[in-house]
Amino acid sequence: QVQLVESGGGLVQAGDSLRLSCLVSGRTRSIQLYTVGWFRQAPGKEREFVAIITLGDDSTYYTDSVKGRFTVSRDNAKNTVYLQMNSLKPEDTAVYYCAADQRYRPLGEDYTYWGQGTQVTVSS
């Protein structure tokens, strides 16, 4: 079994930055074998895709609303994937989840492993 634990959420003001971490542990030889996605769910809304870093070539993709502000990266030695969030806006307020899968580009939310989420609140 593989476990994902998110951390780094909190309450910040608009324009501030946060870095979320997703620690991957358990029966995994290396985080490099996994594509990791970040998703978020705002109150009263459906969960949505935010960013992804793919296994092998570390290609990254972002939803349009965060392009230029968010950056996803991984530290293989620490088995951790990061989501650096800059210039935060109130509309970024949500619970943020990381998810992992051994396929290159899982469709939608079809990931095998999910974390419990971390709250990000951005005040105006």
Side-chain angles (χ1 to χ4, degrees):
Q1 191 66 293
V2 173
Q3 292 84 41
L4 279 65
V5 178
E6 303 95 336
S7 62
L11 171 62
V12 297
Q13 293 186 331
D16 286 350
S17 298
L18 277 176
R19 188 177 76 164
L20 304 184
S21 299
C22 175
L23 173 63
V24 182
S25 62
R27 287 190 173 183
T28 172
R29 287 176 290 165
S30 170
I31 192 177
Q32 290 176 282
L33 300 178
Y34 293 85
T35 282
V36 176
W38 285 96
F39 295 80
R40 66 186 180 186
Q41 187 167 21
K45 295 186 177 181
E46 294 187 350
R47 190 160 56 189
E48 65 171 352
F49 166 78
V50 176
I52 186 176
I53 184 164
T54 59
L55 61 86
D57 60 6
D58 281 357
S59 294
T60 58
Y61 303 92
Y62 303 89
T63 193
D64 286 346
S65 62
V66 308
K67 284 180 182 176
R69 299 189 298 123
F70 290 13
T71 303
V72 60
S73 62
R74 69 166 90 221
D75 183 333
N76 295 323
K78 295 183 178 179
N79 268 6
T80 300
V81 172
Y82 301 102
L83 183 67
Q84 177 67 43
M85 306 186 296
N86 298 329
S87 301
L88 282 162
K89 304 176 181 180
E91 51 263 45
D92 294 318
T93 294
V95 177
Y96 283 72
Y97 300 89
C98 63
D101 198 277
Q102 287 188 287
R103 291 167 292 176
Y104 183 74
R105 284 295 299 270
L107 285 177
E109 298 185 10
D110 189 22
Y111 285 71
T112 304
Y113 306 105
W114 287 83
Q116 294 300 308
T118 185
Q119 176 70 47
V120 172
T121 303
V122 184
S123 63
S124 57

